[in-house]
Amino acid sequence: MEKVVRCLRYMIRFLGKESGLILLPIFAKFTDLYVTAQHSCILYLASVLIDEFGDLPVMKEGFTNMLESMCAPTFAILNSDNAVRQNPDIIEDFFRTCRRCAEKSIDILMTHPRLEDILKCSLICCGSNSHQAGHAVFAFWNSLIEYGSRNFNHRARLDNMIVTAGMGQEMVRKALRGVFADTCAVPDVALLLHDLQNYDSGLQYLPTWLDRALEQLPTPYHPSGDVSAMSNHVREFRHAILNPGSQDSKVAALSTFTNTYR
């Protein structure tokens, strides 16, 4: 299966948009196959197709249906923490596809009836013990926030999910917990906090989300038993994240905080 998908991927990349009429009917068969046999390489092929054809208006309906058909089998697989640990390839390729939707045709994603379910699934999957899978989830979040907030027509739905439904709070909480388990995720978490700061430019919500996430972190061990010293580190970290600054400054602050707090 992977060899067949690899051949199709090379054809798409080589022929570009001219390959559409030839390959899309074939991919429709693969989409049907994914319902019964969940090969992650099919999801990867979907991301390649969206990357090449996602900006074509005539493809919008087809990609909307494709995403719909892939959601149910993927959610059925990733239905527990143990399943998340066992299926990093599915997580990586599914959220790569979702990210491509955000980057190439945000309308497909923001008008899709399954978007809330996709976000809920991503909150479960960001706890994967695979760095590549976690990176794919963070990259999806960042693209969704960046491209979704650019369009006035989509801003209301984005606000409803991130603010009203509390998913922004969960993103921050899961991200901070996850970075202590995998310090390689520091750049991804820093970018998420940077994008959330740009999204919440008036800082109406991010300070509260950050405070609640910090409160829920486990109390660190300090050799001297000086709790006030750790409180100072937390305040310094909060100040660095919420103050205007580059993504690099947030990477530095997060790296220092995790090294000190661990």
Side-chain angles (χ1 to χ4, degrees):
M1 175 64 73
E2 290 188 6
K3 291 182 179 178
V4 174
V5 169
R6 193 177 298 122
C7 289
L8 292 173
R9 186 188 71 196
Y10 288 149
M11 290 176 65
I12 294 168
R13 293 300 193 192
F14 180 73
L15 297 174
K17 291 181 170 57
E18 295 179 4
S19 65
L21 294 177
I22 303 172
L23 295 177
L24 289 180
I26 300 175
F27 182 71
K29 299 294 184 182
F30 277 84
T31 303
D32 294 338
L33 178 62
Y34 182 75
V35 175
T36 56
Q38 290 78 42
H39 297 283
S40 66
C41 59
I42 297 176
L43 294 171
Y44 183 80
L45 182 59
S47 71
V48 173
L49 284 167
I50 293 174
D51 194 33
E52 288 290 338
F53 309 117
D55 56 347
L56 298 179
V58 294
M59 303 302 299
K60 181 178 178 180
E61 182 178 354
F63 284 140
T64 299
N65 295 335
M66 178 192 75
L67 190 58
E68 173 68 29
S69 66
M70 289 180 166
C71 279
T74 301
F75 296 160
I77 295 173
L78 305 174
N79 59 1
S80 69
D81 290 340
N82 189 47
V84 166
R85 287 191 292 270
Q86 293 176 346
N87 295 280
D89 292 342
I90 293 288
I91 296 171
E92 181 180 0
D93 291 328
F94 179 71
F95 286 105
R96 181 191 289 113
T97 300
C98 295
R99 176 191 179 188
R100 293 289 183 237
C101 279
E103 293 172 344
K104 290 292 183 176
S105 183
I106 189 64
D107 289 345
I108 293 175
L109 201 59
M110 291 303 301
T111 59
H112 202 281
R114 289 281 202 162
L115 179 56
E116 283 82 358
D117 295 330
I118 293 171
L119 262 179
K120 289 176 183 176
C121 182
S122 72
L123 289 169
I124 297 172
C125 294
C126 75
S128 171
N129 55 1
S130 164
H131 174 65
Q132 289 80 8
H135 172 73
V137 173
F138 280 113
F140 163 62
W141 286 351
N142 292 328
S143 294
L144 176 67
I145 293 167
E146 178 183 353
Y147 290 91
S149 59
R150 288 180 184 180
N151 190 314
F152 177 79
N153 295 327
H154 300 322
R155 180 72 190 221
R157 189 178 187 190
L158 193 64
D159 288 346
N160 185 61
M161 292 183 297
I162 292 181
V163 178
T164 308
M167 293 185 185
Q169 173 69 78
E170 278 299 290
M171 286 179 183
V172 175
R173 185 181 72 83
K174 295 258 187 178
L176 284 187
R177 278 190 169 271
V179 80
F180 284 94
D182 178 15
T183 54
C184 293
V186 164
D188 291 327
V189 175
L191 180 57
L192 173 67
L193 294 172
H194 182 70
D195 285 346
L196 284 172
Q197 186 181 42
N198 290 334
Y199 164 78
D200 181 27
S201 57
L203 293 182
Q204 292 179 274
Y205 311 108
L206 183 57
T208 302
W209 297 342
L210 188 60
D211 289 342
R212 289 175 179 171
L214 289 170
E215 288 170 1
Q216 293 177 31
L217 289 176
T219 303
Y221 169 74
H222 197 277
S224 68
D226 188 357
V227 177
S228 63
M230 298 311 301
S231 298
N232 289 336
H233 291 309
V234 170
R235 283 195 296 271
E236 290 172 4
F237 170 70
R238 184 184 186 279
H239 178 78
I241 295 301
L242 295 179
N243 270 14
S246 66
Q247 180 190 341
D248 289 342
S249 67
K250 289 177 173 53
V251 169
L254 191 56
S255 297
T256 301
F257 180 65
T258 52
N259 290 333
T260 305
Y261 198 84
R262 288 162 71 86

